[in-house]
Amino acid sequence: MAEEQFFQMFLSGLCESLNRLIPLDFDSSPFKSSYLSKWCSYGETCKPDGAVVACDGSISESSFSGGLVIWTARAVAHVYSEEGRPDSLMEAGVEAGYRLQGRQFFLRLLELRTLRRALEKASQSHERVFGIFDGSLYLTFLHNRNRLRVYSRLFENYVRELTLLLKLVDEKKIVVGICKDSDISYLRAKIMVDILHSLDPELAAEARGRSIRRIREVLSERIKDSTQDLLKACLKELEQDFSDEGVYSEIAPGPGFTRPLLLAPQTIFLTSETGSTDWWDSRFRTRLEKDNGLKGVLRALDEYFSSPPVALTYWRPKISFRVYRVDVPSSLLGYSGASGSLSGDLFTDDSGIEKAKAVFGVLNLLYQEPHVVQPLAEVDCIARLSRSLYKDSYEPVIVEELRRRGFKASPRRRSIRNIVLRGY
């Protein structure tokens, strides 16, 4: 009886909430041609001409009364070649502590290190290696020094490992990061800011950044008394906060990819960084310089931002109606400048597009529905640590080892409730 009542409440709430939404209609958008101007049609395939390395990982967590936390992570990299079955490289890591933070950096650190070691191993027997990482290669983090101090060791090691991987990239060692789902709108924001710059450079300078919401707020304030219809059309377009993936999954006319966008440091787009031109003169970096507890983090970040930036692009395979976010080191596109010196996101030139075709030609060959690329699906299957396996095999060993060392290892009350009431 209660369930029926809840379900009727759910139906009422669902209809009420959806009534406030308007379905996306890109065909009627006056900016559809602007979005399509960044689309590069390309459906050709080419062999990787060497080994293919794919890497993925997973993480599980055990929490105990008193704040004690144990993370268990593992990563798998496969080296594929024409010689036969793939070679595997596996790594595992465990982190224990009270009120642990930085879980995502712990997993990414393990995955990146596994991928780098697999690339180095494959390079010993293959002239060319094509590496595929399940996730983004672009560095984003919460710019809060108090939070960074809590997991500074994990974060510093993660940034260093990411830097080592990017420095490994050259014409014979290629690495790309593929995101199965992405909600960012960096590309769309860049396109809209460029349109605003052609209409009102001063307004565009004030609205610079990647936040659709901030661009909308600046534009809304400035056009109250404006008579420019196109500015009003821009505001209407920005009222729809859809992602890059949502745009190009709808309008991409066929297989291809978007013009790669070189990504500037996340730091300079923060509200607190108004006036900063690049990483080197940012207020956040100045604050890190004065913080003795984060000297190692600063050195790691400086080294990362001394390398060429990551380029963002969206790729549609030949037999797919969706696009996927792909992160490509810009050094593969012919760009050699430091990412920390970028004062804003920058589209690659035509020569960069031609170089990108070599990357997407291989991805077109490896793509297989319903997966992004088959090698990633295979390592994901092996790396995935299922909840049942972890609870039945890993967690009992963790509890036993903790108690042997003098820890109580008492389960949290929520865990006891789930076991008693819900059976898991």
Side-chain angles (χ1 to χ4, degrees):
M1 186 66 178
E3 186 58 48
E4 293 180 0
Q5 290 179 309
F6 275 129
F7 192 75
Q8 291 302 319
M9 293 177 186
F10 153 73
L11 288 177
S12 177
L14 176 64
C15 294
E16 181 181 347
S17 181
L18 292 181
N19 285 338
R20 295 192 292 268
L21 291 179
I22 300 174
L24 302 180
D25 183 9
F26 298 104
D27 287 329
S28 61
S29 169
F31 301 99
K32 180 179 178 180
S33 60
S34 299
Y35 297 139
L36 287 176
S37 69
K38 305 303 179 186
W39 186 257
C40 309
S41 296
Y42 186 73
E44 296 181 24
T45 61
C46 58
K47 291 186 176 181
D49 190 26
V52 172
V53 176
C55 180
D56 198 6
S58 66
I59 188 169
S60 291
E61 177 180 309
S62 295
S63 300
F64 302 94
S65 180
L68 180 60
V69 177
I70 309 289
W71 293 333
T72 302
R74 60 188 192 182
V76 178
H78 276 179
V79 179
Y80 297 85
S81 62
E82 295 183 352
E83 280 72 20
R85 296 181 61 183
D87 293 329
S88 292
L89 192 152
M90 296 182 290
E91 290 201 33
V94 178
E95 185 80 6
Y98 289 94
R99 296 176 179 84
L100 284 178
Q101 294 185 46
R103 168 175 163 148
Q104 72 275 26
F105 298 126
F106 179 63
L107 175 59
R108 284 296 188 236
L109 165 63
L110 186 69
E111 292 174 323
L112 291 170
R113 186 170 64 218
T114 304
L115 175 60
R116 176 177 59 81
R117 290 178 176 176
L119 286 168
E120 293 172 340
K121 180 180 178 181
S123 297
Q124 296 174 1
S125 53
H126 298 85
E127 184 177 356
R128 297 177 64 85
V129 184
F130 192 101
I132 307 170
F133 179 67
D134 188 2
S136 173
L137 297 176
Y138 179 62
L139 178 62
T140 59
F141 61 97
L142 181 63
H143 288 63
N144 183 298
R145 285 183 296 159
N146 292 332
R147 290 285 298 275
L148 278 179
R149 288 192 201 96
V150 174
Y151 49 79
S152 60
R153 176 179 57 85
L154 289 176
F155 180 71
E156 178 183 339
N157 290 336
Y158 159 69
V159 176
R160 292 193 184 283
E161 197 59 59
L162 180 57
T163 304
L164 287 173
L165 180 67
L166 294 177
K167 286 186 174 181
L168 191 67
V169 171
D170 56 28
E171 291 183 354
K172 295 185 178 181
K173 291 184 286 295
I174 295 173
V175 176
V176 298
I178 300 179
C179 299
K180 292 185 284 292
D181 295 287
S182 176
D183 295 326
I184 64 170
S185 53
Y186 299 171
L187 177 55
R188 181 168 172 251
K190 170 62 174 173
I191 291 172
M192 294 306 296
V193 168
D194 285 350
I195 292 172
L196 289 177
H197 187 272
S198 67
L199 300 173
D200 187 335
E202 183 181 339
L203 173 61
E206 185 179 348
R208 89 177 182 101
R210 295 177 177 153
S211 169
I212 295 295
R213 179 185 59 80
R214 169 167 167 72
I215 299 171
R216 183 173 63 239
E217 289 174 352
V218 171
L219 184 57
S220 178
E221 186 65 27
R222 290 287 300 274
I223 68 169
K224 286 181 178 179
D225 301 321
S226 176
T227 58
Q228 289 198 49
D229 291 338
L230 196 49
L231 282 179
K232 294 179 180 179
C234 287
L235 179 59
K236 184 177 180 180
E237 181 77 6
L238 291 168
E239 287 173 350
Q240 298 293 330
D241 201 0
F242 39 80
S243 66
D244 297 337
E245 182 182 302
V247 174
Y248 286 98
S249 289
E250 291 291 329
I251 70 170
F257 57 93
T258 58
R259 180 182 288 267
L261 181 67
L262 279 57
L263 299 179
Q266 175 198 11
T267 306
I268 65 174
F269 296 110
L270 303 178
T271 304
S272 60
E273 293 294 337
T274 302
S276 298
T277 58
D278 57 26
W279 161 254
W280 310 110
D281 81 335
S282 64
R283 293 183 178 88
F284 182 74
R285 186 183 183 281
T286 300
R287 290 194 291 269
L288 289 183
E289 283 185 308
K290 299 176 181 178
D291 195 324
N292 290 327
L294 294 172
K295 291 294 185 184
V297 169
L298 176 60
R299 287 192 293 269
L301 288 171
D302 279 349
E303 187 176 7
Y304 172 83
F305 287 124
S306 297
S307 301
V310 169
L312 165 74
T313 182
Y314 293 89
W315 159 60
R316 177 180 166 183
K318 194 170 185 178
I319 55 175
S320 175
F321 292 102
R322 291 184 56 191
V323 299
Y324 299 90
R325 172 184 170 181
V326 180
D327 288 358
V328 181
S330 62
S331 56
L332 295 174
L333 308 178
Y335 188 85
S336 58
S339 63
S341 298
L342 286 178
S343 58
D345 296 340
L346 177 70
F347 283 111
T348 189
D349 57 19
D350 291 344
S351 64
I353 291 178
E354 291 303 311
K355 289 181 171 61
K357 290 179 179 179
V359 171
F360 290 105
V362 174
L363 291 180
N364 285 336
L365 181 71
L366 296 176
Y367 181 82
Q368 181 176 337
E369 283 280 10
H371 311 295
V372 181
V373 290
Q374 187 61 29
L376 277 184
E378 292 176 2
V379 290
D380 173 77
C381 183
I382 297 174
R384 187 63 47 200
L385 183 54
S386 70
R387 180 184 179 88
S388 59
L389 176 61
Y390 182 77
K391 289 291 184 182
D392 293 342
S393 300
Y394 284 72
E395 196 161 65
V397 175
I398 291 172
V399 172
E400 180 182 355
E401 187 64 22
L402 284 172
R403 290 175 175 169
R404 189 179 69 82
R405 294 170 179 266
F407 296 91
K408 289 186 177 181
S410 302
R412 296 177 66 86
R413 291 186 179 92
R414 180 182 295 273
S415 299
I416 296 174
R417 184 192 66 183
N418 288 338
I419 292 172
V420 174
L421 298 180
R422 299 165 185 167
Y424 62 82

